[in-house]
Each structure stands twice: as C-alpha cells, then as structure tokens.
C-alpha cells in the first residue's frame, strides 16, 4: 500500500496517487533548429541604420555594448561610418533622485514631442546597474505610453563596466540614433552621484527634476549638480502640492542668483509642472528650444559640442591607457605583491606606483619613467 491513509478502515482524508512530474526542460528542444541571429557587415548595419531600421539599430547598439573584441571592431566601423550623419539632434540630459518622477516625466515629455512630429531616443546612464546587473533606467515598462510609439526608441543603460565605459557606450549610441533619424535624444540618469558629470559632457541641455514639499528643498542636492542645470523643473505641482511647488520655485530662483553667470550666457530657468497630469509640459519644451535658439545664435551650442568632443578624446585616451596598464600580464602579476608591500608600509605609495609604471613601460618599450 502506497499510503496508510488509503487503508479502507482509515476514516480521514484519502491521498490520491500523484501524477508523473513533467520534465522541466522541453525534450524536443534539441530537435528544434537554433534560431540564428543574423550578422551583418558594417556596411549593412550602416545601411539599415540610415534607413531608420530600428531592429538593425538595436543590434548595432548591442555590438557597442558587447565586451567581445570582434564585436567592438565592427561597432567602431559602424560608428565611424555613421559619424557624418550624426550631430543633428538636440541632446537633453535628464536627472533627478529616485522617485522624483523621471520615468513619468519622460513619458509625458516624449508624448508631447512625438505629437509635435519629433523622433525621440531615450538612453540612460546608470552606474548602479553594475551592481544590480540590470538597469532600471531607460526601462520600457516605466514609460508605458512612449514604449508603444514607433517614433520612440528606448534603450536601458549599458550595464557592464566602469562609469567611463558606460558613458562612452551611451555617447556612441547617440551617434547611431542620430544617424537613424532621431532628432531628440534624452539621456536619463539618477541625480545622486558622478554620472551627472558624464551626462553633462554629452548633452546640449541639462534638465534637473526636483520635488517640492519635502521640507528640505535645497538640501541633499549637490551644489555642483544645480550649477550644471540649464533648467530646474519642479515636478508634482498638482493637487495640494501646488503651493509648495511654487514656494520651492521661488527658493530655487533665489539660490540660482548666488551662482556665477553661466558660460552660455543663458540664465537657468525654474518651472513647476506635473508629469503625471501632463501640466506645464509645453512650457518646459518652449524653454528648451528657446535655449537651443539662443545658444545657436551666440555660438555656444557649437562651441560646447566641440569642447565635448575634446573631452571625450581625452576620456578615451585615459580609458585605453588604464585598460592597457591593468591588462598587462606583467603588471597584473606583480600588482598584488606591491599592493601588500604598501599595506605593510614597507614601501611608499609613490615608489610603488613608480615601480609599477616602470615595469609597465619597460614591458612596452624598454624605457623607464625617468626617460620620459
Ligand atoms: P523615478 O524614480 O524618478 O523614475 O520616478 P517615477 O516616475 O517612477 O515616479 C515616482 C512616483 O511619483 C510614482 O508613484 C509616480 O506615480 C509619482 N509621480 C510622478 N510624477 C508625478 C506627478 O506629476 N504628480 C504626482 N502627484 N505624482 C507623480
């Protein structure tokens, strides 16, 4: 007898015989043909991108994000070929602490712009995704209306690598999106750390989303972030919150007066709005385009783009040098030992660094830092 409960004399509930457990893996899976992802030549990628083919654009962005060398080689060729077709968009950085309403606002801003006939790409830089291995910024599910629009391209933050690496990938993605005909680019980031500087160095206009009614409007915002902002917009100006939002607006305006004049000659604006109820959205975009017209007229728009290109050249050099140093087999073999010597105070950090650099340079060209 399988179960004592099934004894005819047993008065309690009976136990039925279970059914055979189904295999958790489909047994026919092997017989199925593996769907092969198509690989294109760089020219085919470029052709697809220039036609505005979103599937090919997405695949090319995946190559940019890949850490595989062969993918990087193709990606760099695609970027190079797309460069002449890039640069024609307005790039806008959007930042705010978690909960400020970034995704709600981007949804509302995006719908406003799409209704006005624009094509919008939403990208993101989320250094925290390195830890969580999955980015929440730029996630389609957070932008419900926008994600259904054919003129919107939403791409989450590249997740692997250093902030510098992630930022570079986003910048390269901007180039491809512009070549694909997107005339407005959003780069979203969380307003808590270093990533704003990276975003600021790749956008034309930097929008800071703030909240009112928390009692400490001006606290917790790094001065540096406020100084970078071309526009401060106070979200959730709806219902009981309207007065508080207006008060916060006055406080921000006062605080901005204390800052030195901007290089662009533009006076940063402060506005209130509601992303959720789509109130005050038009005013925000009138402000952004007013800035674009103003800075194009006084030459700052192009000047800033050129400065950004210079900045990214140095960033790329720094990143390549760092990679070359840390991936050098001689360096990586000696580093733990030298590090321990520094920890044991047997050697100063300066001497240790010099020894490591000498070792590195000797492995490259047979020179030491003394010869430089
Ligand atoms: P994120 O973390 O910055 O992307 O913020 P979310 O867009 O996810 O918004 C955080 C919360 O604030 C959500 O519960 C939203 O519904 C709410 N929220 C966003 N915008 C508004 C707004 O304009 N008014 C009100 N009342 N709530 C809002």
């Amino acid at each position: 007898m399988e179960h004592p409960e099934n004894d005819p004399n047993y008065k309690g509930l009976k136990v039925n015989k279970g059914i055979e457990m189904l295999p958790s893996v489909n047994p026919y899976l092997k017989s199925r043909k593996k769907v092969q992802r198509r690989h294109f030549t760089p020219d085919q990628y470029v052709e697809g991108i220039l036609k505005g083919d979103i599937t090919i654009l997405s695949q090319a962005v995946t190559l940019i994000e890949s850490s595989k060398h062969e993918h990087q080689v193709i990606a760099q060729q695609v970027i190079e070929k797309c460069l002449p077709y890039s640069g024609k968009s307005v790039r806008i950085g959007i930042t705010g602490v978690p909960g400020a309403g970034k995704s709600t606002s981007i949804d509302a801003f995006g719908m406003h712009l799409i209704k006005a006939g624009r094509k919008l790409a939403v990208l993101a830089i989320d250094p925290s995704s390195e830890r969580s291995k999955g980015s929440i910024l730029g996630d389609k599910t957070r932008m419900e209306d926008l994600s259904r629009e054919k003129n919107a391209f939403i791409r989450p933050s590249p997740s692997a690598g250093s902030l510098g690496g992630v930022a570079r990938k986003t910048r390269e993605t901007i180039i491809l999106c512009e070549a694909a005909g997107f005339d407005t680019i959003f780069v979203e980031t969380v307003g808590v750390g270093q990533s704003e500087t990276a975003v600021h160095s790749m956008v034309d206009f930097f929008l800071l989303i703030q909240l009112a009614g928390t009692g400490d409007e001006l606290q917790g915002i790094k001065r540096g972030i406020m100084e970078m902002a071309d526009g401060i917009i106070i979200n959730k100006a709806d219902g009981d919150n309207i007065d508080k939002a207006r008060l916060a607006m006055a406080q921000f305006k006062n605080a901005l007066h204390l800052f030195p004049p901007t290089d662009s000659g533009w006076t940063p604006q402060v506005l209130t709005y509601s992303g959720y109820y789509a109130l005050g959205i038009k005013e925000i975009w009138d402000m952004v385009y007013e800035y674009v017209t103003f800075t194009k007229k006084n030459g700052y728009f192009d000047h800033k783009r050129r400065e950004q290109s210079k900045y990214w050249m140095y960033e790329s050099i720094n990143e390549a040098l760092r990679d070359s140093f840390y991936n050098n087999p001689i360096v990586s073999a000696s580093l733990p030992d030298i590090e321990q010597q520094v920890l044991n105070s047997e050697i100063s950090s300066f001497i240790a660094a010099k020894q490591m650099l000498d070792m590195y340079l000797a492995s490259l060209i047979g020179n030491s830092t003394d010869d430089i």
Side-chain angles (χ1 to χ4, degrees):
M1 184 169 303
E2 287 179 31
H3 293 283
E5 296 90 333
N6 289 350
D7 186 301
N9 299 322
Y10 183 73
K11 293 279 179 281
L13 290 172
K14 301 260 185 292
V15 174
N16 293 330
K17 190 167 179 284
I19 59 158
E20 197 71 23
M21 188 70 166
L22 288 168
S24 60
V25 176
N26 181 349
Y28 305 111
L29 201 62
K30 270 197 194 135
S31 61
R32 270 211 217 156
K33 255 200 176 156
K34 210 175 157 201
V35 183
Q36 275 289 328
R37 211 182 141 147
R38 272 193 70 188
H39 287 287
F40 300 108
T41 63
D43 282 332
Q44 285 170 323
Y45 277 114
V46 175
E47 200 188 317
I49 290 169
L50 294 181
K51 270 195 214 144
D53 185 323
I54 299 297
T55 314
I56 294 186
L57 171 66
S58 296
Q59 291 185 8
V61 174
T62 306
L63 290 182
I64 289 181
E65 291 172 355
S66 167
S67 49
K68 283 200 181 134
H69 178 71
E70 65 263 33
H71 290 167
Q72 278 303 313
V73 171
I74 302 173
Q76 290 309 318
Q77 291 176 35
V78 175
I79 293 163
E80 192 88 352
K81 286 172 196 268
C82 283
L83 258 177
Y85 305 95
S86 71
K88 294 186 195 85
S89 75
V90 176
R91 307 165 181 167
I92 296 134
I94 299 182
T95 194
V97 294
K102 289 181 295 303
S103 49
T104 313
S105 305
I106 290 173
D107 214 21
F109 297 163
M111 293 310 289
H112 173 81
L113 294 170
I114 288 202
K115 278 184 196 139
R118 296 190 178 270
K119 280 187 81 176
L120 170 70
V122 180
L123 313 176
I125 291 185
D126 182 5
S128 64
S129 63
E130 222 179 309
R131 260 172 286 137
S132 60
K133 288 289 168 217
S135 168
I136 46 158
L137 290 189
D139 185 352
K140 280 186 189 173
T141 54
R142 293 165 65 238
M143 296 153 200
E144 260 182 60
D145 290 339
L146 205 54
S147 60
R148 284 194 288 265
E149 290 294 329
K150 70 171 182 1
N151 282 336
F153 175 70
I154 304 176
R155 184 87 188 184
S157 169
S159 58
S162 61
L163 170 60
V166 169
R168 179 176 55 78
K169 288 170 189 185
T170 303
R171 193 167 184 273
E172 291 172 345
T173 303
I174 293 179
I175 293 167
L176 300 198
C177 290
E178 289 176 343
F182 289 93
D183 55 28
T184 313
I185 314 275
F186 285 179
V187 184
E188 181 190 6
T189 192
V190 184
V192 284
Q194 282 284 305
S195 47
E196 287 72 29
T197 321
V199 174
H200 188 245
S201 61
M202 64 177 81
V203 297
D204 307 311
F205 190 96
F206 197 67
L207 205 49
L208 170 63
I209 299 183
Q210 285 290 349
L211 287 178
T214 48
D216 56 352
E217 281 77 12
L218 296 179
Q219 288 167 29
I221 311 153
K222 293 203 186 77
R223 190 192 146 95
I225 295 178
M226 257 184 84
E227 236 166 319
M228 276 190 260
D230 301 299
I232 296 177
I233 49 174
I234 299 152
N235 191 17
K236 308 193 188 183
D238 46 53
D240 295 344
N241 217 16
I242 292 182
D243 287 342
K244 287 183 202 145
R246 287 209 183 112
L247 182 66
M249 177 164 79
Q251 288 173 326
F252 276 114
K253 279 187 177 166
N254 279 337
L256 284 176
H257 281 311
L258 305 174
F259 288 172
T262 56
D263 294 342
S264 58
W266 167 261
T267 311
Q269 308 281 305
V270 188
L271 296 171
T272 62
Y273 77 109
S274 165
Y276 190 81
Y277 295 101
L279 304 168
I281 308 291
K282 182 181 177 296
E283 287 73 5
I284 293 174
W285 292 94
D286 287 350
M287 163 181 73
V288 173
Y289 289 110
E290 194 190 322
Y291 170 91
V292 173
T293 310
F294 177 79
T295 52
K296 278 196 171 165
K297 214 167 162 189
N298 73 8
Y300 184 77
F301 192 92
D302 289 333
H303 165 78
K304 189 174 177 185
R305 287 243 174 133
R306 283 195 297 271
E307 285 294 314
Q308 289 175 337
S309 298
K310 190 175 92 182
Y311 171 86
W312 284 100
M313 179 190 81
Y314 284 111
E315 276 297 294
S316 304
I317 292 174
N318 292 346
E319 204 192 326
L321 282 176
R322 211 179 301 125
D323 282 356
S324 163
F325 177 78
Y326 287 107
N327 292 329
N328 182 298
I330 296 174
V331 169
S332 47
S334 318
L335 207 51
D337 190 37
I338 298 261
E339 187 185 295
Q340 198 53 52
Q341 288 181 37
V342 173
L343 286 172
N344 296 345
S345 307
E346 290 161 17
I347 177 175
S348 81
S349 26
F350 177 75
I351 302 277
K354 188 173 181 313
Q355 274 185 18
M356 290 307 306
L357 286 168
D358 279 348
M359 227 183 265
Y360 169 69
L361 291 171
S363 79
L364 292 181
I365 45 171
N367 275 338
S368 90
T369 41
D370 294 334
D371 306 318
I372 294 177

